[in-house]
Amino acid sequence: MGIENGSIDYFMTKLGEAKTHFERALDCKHTEFDDLYPYMIEHPQFFWYKRYVAWSELLTVVKLCTELTIEWEQQFSVAQADYIKKRVMSSKVLDFWFETNDSKEHVS
């Protein structure tokens, strides 16, 4: 029993949304989470929790794609796919997700 193209498109859309949500959370930009819990902005742990929620969402969508044998890795850099496969949101993920720390853009 194969998966239909419409279903693949649906999951690829959801994967893109989860990736964007996580990246916006990393950059401390507005996400749906802010609308759900506006009072949390006042608490220092808010940004960590917001990132954790976005990371969990991303891992869930990737897990579903994997179970349905939908290729998800091409949506990410090799390093990002490796972080996702390890499943742990470490400081390395937070620091190097965008892979720009060694670029000329960050050299003074």
Side-chain angles (χ1 to χ4, degrees), residues 1-12 68-70:
M1 182 174 147
I3 190 164
E4 297 176 16
N5 283 342
S7 297
I8 292 172
D9 292 342
Y10 173 80
F11 278 99
M12 295 314 292
L68 295 168
T69 63
I70 297 172

Side-chain angles (χ1 to χ4, degrees), residues 28-98:
C28 300
K29 292 182 179 175
H30 185 86
T31 68
E32 290 178 2
F33 191 78
D34 298 295
D35 297 333
L36 293 172
Y37 303 100
Y39 61 90
M40 286 191 67
I41 292 172
E42 301 166 12
H43 302 283
Q45 71 273 21
F46 170 74
F47 291 108
W48 286 104
Y49 188 68
K50 179 177 170 175
R51 289 171 180 162
Y52 172 76
V53 168
W55 180 248
S56 296
E57 176 188 7
L58 180 59
L59 292 181
T60 299
V61 176
V62 165
K63 181 180 179 183
L64 290 170
C65 287
T66 301
E67 290 174 357
L68 295 168
T69 63
I70 297 172
E71 293 293 325
W72 59 269
E73 294 173 0
Q74 68 271 13
Q75 301 296 320
F76 300 89
S77 71
V78 173
Q80 291 171 340
D82 187 50
Y83 299 145
I84 292 168
K85 289 175 187 174
K86 290 179 181 172
R87 303 186 55 81
V88 176
M89 187 178 65
S90 66
S91 60
K92 188 173 185 179
V93 173
L94 298 174
D95 291 341
F96 297 105
W97 179 263
F98 293 108

